[in-house]
Amino acid sequence: GKLAQRESNIKFAHGLTLKEYYRLFAFQEGHCAICDSIDGGYSSNNNFIRDSLVIDHNHKTGNVRGLLCHRHNQILGYLKDSAQILQSAILYLNKYKNENML
């Protein structure tokens, strides 16, 4: 059924059992590890998913880091897991936070 398929997908992609996923979900109290949101965000087919967090992992080691909402998982992907790029973005945002837009 659907549950077995989901477990198979999680195990294949991340090496976690469904039980391990739900243990991590409970540990984070269903909140994204970055923004503390309980909204999962949008799936690939643009359907809104509630209470569905993505398994985030280190792309070099394959180790699971935590569960994230779809948006923040995508952001880390766009950043290529670079803290340096993220820090540059923070500096950029802080530089202009008190200025009016053009």
Side-chain angles (χ1 to χ4, degrees):
K2 275 190 174 182
L3 201 59
Q5 182 63 46
R6 182 168 187 198
E7 175 151 29
S8 175
N9 290 345
I10 288 174
K11 186 79 173 161
F12 176 76
H14 305 285
L16 287 182
T17 65
L18 203 53
K19 187 176 181 179
E20 289 168 329
Y21 171 85
Y22 285 121
R23 189 180 302 132
L24 192 51
F25 190 89
F27 177 75
Q28 291 184 206
E29 298 178 343
H31 294 254
C32 170
I34 291 178
C35 70
D36 207 32
S37 169
I38 59 168
D39 293 334
Y42 292 89
S43 67
S44 57
N45 61 359
N46 260 359
N47 289 328
F48 187 74
I49 299 174
R50 191 165 182 83
D51 300 330
S52 175
L53 298 174
V54 178
I55 300 165
D56 175 56
H57 65 281
N58 181 314
H59 291 91
K60 289 185 179 129
T61 66
N63 293 335
V64 172
R65 295 187 286 212
L67 303 178
L68 303 176
C69 68
H70 290 265
R71 286 181 184 94
H72 288 113
N73 186 58
Q74 285 181 318
I75 286 171
L76 292 186
Y78 291 137
L79 291 170
K80 297 185 168 93
D81 288 347
S82 170
Q84 187 176 355
I85 293 172
L86 181 57
Q87 188 60 46
S88 292
I90 292 166
L91 292 171
Y92 173 82
L93 289 173
N94 283 334
K95 181 178 178 180
Y96 295 104
K97 71 180 175 186
N98 294 322
E99 293 191 17
N100 295 323
M101 298 303 281
L102 296 176

